[in-house]
Amino acid sequence: MPQLTWLVTGCSSGLGQTFIHGILSRGDKAIATARGDISRIAALEESGAKIYSLDVRASAADIKKTMSRIISENGEIDVLINNAGYIEAAIAEEASIDSYLDQFDINFFGVIKVTQAILPHFRERKSGSIVFLGSSGGISREPGAGPYCATKHALEEWYECLKQETAHLNIKPMIFELGFFRTNIMHPDNVKFRTKYEIADYDDIRNLVSQFVQGMNQNQPGDPKKAVEIVLDVVKGEGIAEGKAVPERLPLGADCLTTMRKEAVANLAMCNEWDGVILSTNVDFGVTVTISSV
Ligand SMILES: NC(=O)c1ccc[n+]([C@@H]2O[C@H](COP(=O)([O-])OP(=O)(O)OC[C@H]3O[C@@H](n4cnc5c(N)ncnc54)[C@H](OP(=O)(O)O)[C@@H]3O)[C@@H](O)[C@H]2O)c1
């Protein structure tokens, strides 16, 4: 496999940092980005990565400018890993609109802006891989995490469209659905609980969610290094992925596999039970329907 150049967002901690170490240890080139003061990721530079400041909340124009600079200073990029993200946890009715907007700004629009900024480069080369990090929350829609789950679900749908639109250009988007992995994502400083006000009807659920997040912090079953190695293998088509067709969506972690299976079984059961009703909605043969307003 030839040496690849990877660009990763959100490298100040967790999976981002782990990706950079994994990429470098395979002899590939790594471009690590993080928001704010770049000295935060100086250690990654010492390990051999190129480092840049990139806040995925910046304007599309600014992100394009940063991307052009990165490309002109590093030559061709082969893989983008859209890693930056965080969790807004709140009861759906209680969550402030700002918490929804901020969550989408980073986890969804941030990803779109960075991806759009690199696509002209990938189209010109007729080659490139784009990694998206989905979540079991985007499949199972956990109570108390409405804003987060909504962004990850939205990302999945957007990814599916992009994949079909770019297939003829030899651009390969891929999404990995992660269960709970032991990073700082659930640290009290990172999970945002922003409610406009608390509604007594939700006290029990809110308390359970808060206890769950605190209990899960640093007790997640997933090992980030193992997830990263699988992602790198799949993108490069080596190791565990050698000679295998890459699935559309790959769950990582036993918890995510359980979630995905449960969801598939529930969907199939619903289709089987309701198919008579679902199939009853076509226009009756010989009847003309005019739609005068929508
Ligand atoms: N760990 C899991 O269990 C899990 C499960 C499913 C999906 N994921 C996804 O995996 C990705 C990485 O999460 P993680 O577990 O590694 O969590 P993490 O340790 O909290 O890392 C998140 C990274 O995103 C960065 N970030 C946040 N907002 C940013 C912005 N506006 N611009 C640039 N970078 C920004 C953070 O930087 P700062 O230091 O500046 O905040 C941090 O480096 C996220 O997309 C997350 O949703 C994780």
Side-chain angles (χ1 to χ4, degrees):
M1 183 78 180
Q3 186 184 47
L4 299 183
T5 302
W6 306 62
L7 190 161
V8 187
T9 64
C11 295
S12 70
S13 68
L15 289 161
Q17 225 172 55
T18 313
F19 272 121
I20 297 300
H21 289 304
I23 292 162
L24 291 170
S25 72
R26 287 185 189 221
D28 283 353
K29 291 184 184 169
I31 300 167
T33 68
R35 65 177 158 184
D37 184 355
I38 208 62
S39 67
R40 297 169 71 214
I41 53 170
L44 295 179
E45 188 175 35
E46 281 157 27
S47 299
K50 293 285 184 60
I51 59 169
Y52 291 87
S53 181
L54 176 62
D55 185 337
V56 304
R57 289 186 86 168
S59 69
D62 282 351
I63 290 179
K64 266 190 190 156
K65 229 184 273 170
T66 304
M67 189 64 78
S68 300
R69 189 182 141 218
I70 293 174
I71 293 167
S72 73
E73 291 178 5
N74 294 277
E76 299 200 340
I77 294 171
D78 301 287
V79 190
L80 164 67
I81 300 187
N82 281 303
N83 169 74
Y86 78 106
I87 298 176
E88 287 276 351
I91 302 293
E93 184 181 352
E94 293 178 346
S96 69
I97 292 302
D98 279 348
S99 76
Y100 283 104
L101 291 172
D102 287 349
Q103 182 77 106
F104 269 87
D105 210 10
I106 292 180
N107 288 16
F108 185 63
F109 295 114
V111 172
I112 292 179
K113 282 183 277 186
V114 176
T115 303
Q116 285 185 341
I118 207 163
L119 276 170
H121 179 62
F122 284 175
R123 281 191 291 104
E124 198 183 330
R125 307 168 68 224
K126 291 276 181 297
S127 166
S129 298
I130 307 171
V131 171
F132 297 96
L133 293 187
S135 163
S136 53
I139 308 166
S140 66
R141 305 167 285 274
E142 306 292 346
Y148 180 72
C149 294
T151 59
K152 291 297 183 181
H153 192 74
L155 198 56
E156 272 193 39
E157 303 308 304
W158 188 75
Y159 147 80
E160 297 279 355
C161 299
L162 180 76
K163 189 175 166 73
Q164 293 175 56
E165 291 162 2
T166 55
H168 68 294
L169 300 167
N170 196 32
I171 294 170
K172 297 184 188 108
M174 39 190 96
I175 193 161
F176 297 85
E177 320 276 8
L178 273 62
F180 292 101
F181 280 81
R182 204 167 297 179
T183 66
N184 284 333
I185 196 159
M186 289 202 158
H187 188 279
D189 289 347
N190 292 337
V191 181
K192 307 280 181 277
F193 290 94
R194 288 189 292 168
T195 54
K196 39 184 198 285
Y197 43 76
E198 293 186 350
I199 300 166
D201 285 340
Y202 301 119
D203 281 352
D204 289 349
I205 303 178
R206 194 183 327 99
N207 291 337
L208 277 176
V209 169
S210 168
Q211 281 166 23
F212 176 80
V213 170
Q214 282 169 36
M216 188 56 94
N217 181 31
Q218 294 309 319
N219 285 312
Q220 295 99 324
D223 178 343
K225 276 193 192 151
K226 291 186 178 170
V228 159
E229 290 306 319
I230 292 171
V231 173
L232 301 184
D233 271 355
V234 169
V235 173
K236 297 192 78 163
E238 61 188 29
I240 56 103
E242 179 126 33
K244 284 189 183 158
V246 178
E248 295 270 310
R249 304 149 79 204
L250 186 62
L252 294 177
D255 48 340
C256 193
L257 184 61
T258 304
T259 298
M260 208 176 235
R261 281 215 170 105
K262 226 168 96 183
E263 193 68 13
V265 168
N267 271 335
L268 190 59
M270 183 277 294
C271 290
N272 290 341
E273 191 179 340
W274 286 85
D275 60 356
V277 174
I278 295 164
L279 293 170
S280 69
T281 55
N282 275 4
V283 174
D284 287 334
F285 181 72
V287 174
T288 307
V289 174
T290 311
I291 300 172
S292 52
S293 62
V294 278

